[in-house]
Amino acid sequence: DGGITQSPKYLFRKEGQNVTLSCEQNLNHDAMYWYRQDPGQGLRLIYYSQIVNDFQKGDIAEGYSVSREKKESFPLTVTSAQKNPTAFYLCATYREPGQGPQANYGYTFGSGTRLTVV
Amino acid sequence: GQNIDQPTEMTATEGAIVQINCTYQTSGFNGLFWYQQHAGEAPTFLSYNVLDGLEEKGRFSSFLSRSKGYSYLLLKELQMKDSASYLCAVRDLGAGSYQLTFGKGTKLSVIP
């Protein structure tokens, strides 16, 4: 089945450590996104990529970095510069409404990675 | 930028009907989505509106009025499993690319 795989499901980071969250998709979608979700805050955009080898900062990019070397993969690195990294991280792809069945219009999300600083 | 407002919490009774409202302000509106998110899980797609009117899909319906910057999600014959957060998201064409901005979500509790 086509979908988005995020790993790991749970991740613990020590102070001052960089960690990388994996996101892989086999939906053949061009656009990929990283969101962060905190309680009561909704989803906030960290980075997005419309095409391979190109990516743009979202609303809260500070302390994060990404790469898009392959269409299928969009890893997110949480650097030590991110002062409050504990959150639920969601990766998503985007499909234009009108392209095929209505299911999975808009964003399709991975199952998420819950990152905790210890 | 965009501003999306929806109620923080709602409570409704099993078997009843509930309406979750969403208002938005955007400069380049290009569609509105509703997502359902159970605690600790990823959001899942419920509905999409780009033209004014009502879209019905089983127990769920979604309405859009572009002139009023207003949408609602209507849930009928509520079931306990409908207890979840419901996210309103607006697609905006600005700065040469499409962005989807989410409201903070409405936590719906269905009680017996």
Side-chain angles (χ1 to χ4, degrees):
Chain A
D1 285 353
I4 303 172
T5 301
Q6 284 188 244
S7 61
K9 191 171 180 66
Y10 298 96
L11 185 59
F12 297 90
R13 192 196 92 167
K14 294 181 180 179
E15 295 280 354
Q17 199 176 44
N18 291 358
V19 291
T20 297
L21 283 59
S22 170
C23 178
E24 302 283 329
Q25 58 113 347
N26 60 4
L27 298 168
N28 199 34
H29 293 170
D30 287 317
M32 297 187 74
Y33 301 78
W34 274 105
Y35 279 90
R36 168 181 172 144
Q37 188 174 36
D38 297 277
Q41 293 280 350
L43 276 69
R44 292 183 290 168
L45 182 64
I46 304 173
Y47 267 98
Y48 65 99
S49 169
Q50 304 275 23
I51 198 168
V52 175
N53 292 323
D54 184 59
F55 49 83
Q56 305 294 331
K57 293 182 179 180
D59 300 321
I60 55 165
E62 185 175 352
Y64 299 98
S65 66
V66 293
S67 63
R68 186 83 187 279
E69 297 176 359
K70 300 185 301 181
K71 187 175 186 178
E72 300 79 15
S73 180
F74 191 41
L76 174 74
T77 297
V78 184
T79 75
S80 57
Q82 170 50 239
K83 297 307 179 188
N84 186 23
T86 295
F88 188 46
Y89 290 86
L90 287 161
C91 177
T93 66
Y94 184 80
R95 184 165 76 87
E96 283 287 335
Q99 295 176 354
Q102 195 182 32
N104 295 327
Y105 276 6
Y107 280 32
T108 299
F109 289 90
S111 57
T113 293
R114 191 165 297 278
L115 174 63
T116 304
V117 173
V118 296
Chain B
Q2 298 184 29
N3 188 31
I4 302 173
D5 289 314
Q6 49 182 132
T8 303
E9 293 186 43
M10 298 182 72
T11 301
T13 305
E14 191 176 14
I17 299 173
V18 70
Q19 178 175 312
I20 302 174
N21 296 324
C22 172
T23 58
Y24 63 89
Q25 295 174 319
T26 181
S27 55
F29 178 82
N30 200 254
L32 186 143
F33 295 81
W34 283 96
Y35 287 83
Q36 180 191 61
Q37 185 178 26
H38 285 99
E41 298 181 9
T44 56
F45 170 82
L46 287 179
S47 70
Y48 168 71
N49 295 72
V50 67
L51 300 176
D52 292 349
L54 187 68
E55 294 281 340
E56 296 185 84
K57 198 181 349 177
R59 293 190 299 115
F60 292 6
S61 302
S62 58
F63 172 83
L64 175 67
S65 169
R66 288 171 295 170
S67 62
K68 295 182 180 178
Y70 168 70
S71 173
Y72 67 73
L73 180 69
L74 193 71
L75 291 73
K76 304 176 185 175
E77 302 170 13
L78 279 173
Q79 302 175 9
M80 299 300 292
K81 68 178 182 180
D82 296 330
S83 292
S85 288
Y86 291 85
L87 311 178
C88 173
V90 173
R91 187 175 183 232
D92 177 81
L93 178 56
S97 65
Y98 292 108
Q99 296 298 330
L100 202 64
T101 302
F102 287 82
K104 295 183 178 181
T106 298
K107 184 177 179 181
L108 174 67
S109 298
V110 180
I111 58 176

